[in-house]
Amino acid sequence: MDIKRFETGPRMSQAVVHNGTVYLAGQVGKPGDDVATQTGQVLEQIDRLLAAAGTDKTRILSATIWLADMADFQKMNAVWDGWVPAGHAPARATGESKLAGPEYLVEIIVVAAL
């Protein structure tokens, strides 16, 4: 079976397709923006990467969301809830983690079907 990689760099690919499944790398927003703005930026990136792979957000199977501070949970959810199409909510987990730098407030990883 073929493996197709998107936006491949020396360390990682932003998306990988294998056997009808799309795996996205963790997506982050612009450093320094607030959590709602970063969440919106991340979701735009996810839309773009899924489209490049030949699918869309209605086909997301699972999402893992990391927040630098769980106090931002409601602010992130307000953006997320407006983005997820009704009836297409994926399996999801959200946790708190130290991210790549203190200026990053949210990171989202998704797996989707083609």
Side-chain angles (χ1 to χ4, degrees):
M1 292 182 200
D2 289 337
I3 298 173
K4 189 169 184 182
R5 301 173 198 282
F6 296 84
E7 299 182 24
T8 300
R11 180 171 293 142
M12 60 188 262
S13 296
Q14 291 299 313
V16 176
V17 176
H18 178 259
N19 199 25
T21 305
V22 182
Y23 304 88
L24 265 57
Q27 300 298 306
V28 295
K30 181 180 172 193
D33 284 345
D34 63 53
V35 71
T37 302
Q38 285 189 24
T39 301
Q41 293 164 352
V42 168
L43 298 176
E44 288 174 7
Q45 290 168 200
I46 290 171
D47 281 334
R48 180 183 56 76
L49 288 165
L50 292 175
T55 192
D56 63 54
K57 63 187 170 187
T58 67
R59 312 271 300 157
I60 295 174
L61 303 171
S62 68
T64 303
I65 302 172
W66 294 110
L67 292 169
D69 186 343
M70 284 302 290
D72 288 331
F73 187 69
Q74 296 305 322
K75 292 174 187 171
M76 178 278 298
N77 272 331
V79 179
W80 173 271
D81 292 345
W83 177 78
V84 174
H88 295 279
R92 191 185 104 167
T94 304
E96 182 177 290
S97 178
K98 185 181 284 189
L99 301 179
E103 64 278 6
Y104 294 108
L105 304 178
V106 61
E107 180 173 353
I108 302 176
I109 305 158
V110 302
V111 176
L114 284 180

